[in-house]
Amino acid sequence: MALEKVRDLLASARRANTSVIAFDACDYNTVYACVKGAEMARRPVIVMLYPTMRSLFSFSAFSGAVKDLAREASVPVGLHLDHCSEPDVILSAIRDGFTSVMADGSALPFEENAAFTKSVVDMAGVFGADVEGELGHVGQTAAGYDYDNKDAFTRPEEAAVFVERTGVTSLAVAFGSCHGVYKSAPSLDLERLREIDRTVNIPLVLHGGSGIPAGQLEKAFTMGINKFNVGTEFFLLNSRLTHEYHTGHYVEKPFADLEYIRSGLCEYVAGKLRLCALRV
């Protein structure tokens, strides 16, 4: 298969009343695991890059790796730039092959967020790229963000206005999740999610997916969440597998570490993807 448009993957998930999982990756190993794990699970997958990680893996190299693996994959693969608030960086990513981007204006007041996001939608539209916006704010546990603070949650009535005004193809919403490692198990405001989904007719996105109980996720997937982001869990597993290999599983054989780490990452991706009902 060739690379698929993210909007098409999310539309398929919306029709099936489920979600596609998007994994942040940081190197070739993690990109490889996303695609090969998806093949193991027979599920579509979206591979993402944080803009700051282009110092580890340039935009052009990252998009090239994803596209190369997608070309040979037996499942649909999407490519997406995660949280970005800088138009110049977003444009650079699109020019270097990214077909979907996130315009993150969630720290701005509503009017400024809408104006910023609309400007990115207009720019990306020239290249045929999809745009995910964010309304409400999903913060970082490391920064002390209170993910139970309902004042930061997405307001359903504002979501409808935001989507109409900006023309985004998907919308990240806040209803009780947080980026990073949870200090206590989150309790998603699923009733709020239901109300948001009733006010808009585009796919909704759940950020801060590492550590949310599976039962809550499965409910959210049937209530409008069509894209679910995972980063921290995946990166920590990559670090743990690397440590395990070099402290207890070392084999004097070239590239044995890659075999060990990739195997664990692929199993993780496949297991996570099986939460989703969209089998291919």
Side-chain angles (χ1 to χ4, degrees):
M1 291 187 175
L3 193 73
E4 302 248 351
K5 289 190 72 66
V6 167
R7 73 171 70 192
D8 293 337
L9 296 180
L10 300 191
S12 295
R14 195 163 179 82
R15 286 193 296 271
N17 206 30
T18 190
S19 180
V20 176
I21 298 184
F23 295 88
D24 279 300
C26 61
D27 58 13
Y28 189 81
N29 262 358
T30 48
V31 172
Y32 178 92
C34 289
V35 177
K36 298 303 179 180
E39 289 188 303
M40 289 167 61
R42 303 302 309 159
R43 301 295 196 277
V45 70
I46 298 168
V47 189
M48 306 187 296
L49 181 71
Y50 280 118
T52 55
M53 288 187 175
R54 69 189 187 279
S55 62
L56 304 176
F57 206 172
S58 72
F59 284 156
S60 59
F62 188 93
S63 66
V66 175
K67 289 176 181 179
D68 185 56
L69 286 163
R71 195 174 300 116
E72 302 300 322
S74 58
V75 296
V77 178
L79 170 63
H80 181 72
L81 179 71
D82 207 359
H83 293 274
C84 193
S85 305
E86 301 173 64
D88 290 349
V89 176
I90 292 173
L91 179 58
S92 177
I94 292 172
R95 284 177 167 166
D96 281 341
F98 280 73
T99 54
S100 179
V101 297
M102 181 182 182
D104 184 0
S106 62
L108 301 171
F110 179 88
E111 292 295 336
E112 292 178 36
N113 185 2
F116 162 72
T117 305
K118 177 65 164 63
S119 70
V120 174
V121 169
D122 290 344
M123 175 180 69
V126 174
F127 301 89
D130 302 333
V131 179
E132 173 186 327
E134 181 173 340
L135 186 65
H137 183 65
V138 181
Q140 300 272 353
T141 56
Y145 178 74
D146 178 7
Y147 44 90
D148 291 324
N149 178 15
K150 295 186 184 297
D151 289 341
F153 287 8
T154 306
R155 296 179 174 87
E157 66 278 7
E158 289 186 347
V161 175
F162 187 85
V163 168
E164 181 179 3
R165 202 180 287 185
T166 62
V168 290
T169 48
S170 62
L171 181 67
V173 291
F175 59 105
S177 64
C178 192
H179 295 104
V181 179
Y182 289 98
K183 294 178 173 58
S184 59
S187 179
L188 299 179
D189 188 345
L190 295 173
E191 187 52 44
R192 183 182 296 257
L193 172 62
R194 191 193 307 276
E195 288 303 313
I196 296 169
D197 189 48
R198 285 174 178 161
T199 68
V200 302
N201 61 354
I202 63 171
L204 300 176
V205 182
L206 173 56
H207 283 250
S210 297
I212 297 176
Q216 292 187 48
L217 289 178
E218 289 166 345
K219 288 180 182 177
F221 294 167
T222 66
M223 299 169 71
I225 293 299
N226 305 125
K227 177 172 174 278
F228 168 58
N229 287 15
V230 176
T232 302
E233 232 174 47
F234 192 42
F235 292 146
L236 290 177
L237 175 62
N238 187 42
S239 295
R240 180 170 63 79
L241 290 169
T242 302
H243 176 75
E244 281 180 7
Y245 177 80
H246 290 289
T247 58
H249 298 269
Y250 180 77
V251 177
E252 195 152 321
K253 171 186 171 185
F255 312 118
D257 56 336
L258 296 183
E259 294 173 14
Y260 182 83
I261 295 165
R262 283 182 177 180
S263 175
L265 292 175
C266 288
E267 289 288 349
Y268 166 81
V269 168
K272 186 67 77 173
L273 284 169
R274 291 188 182 107
L275 289 171
C276 304
L278 189 60
R279 186 180 175 86
V280 293

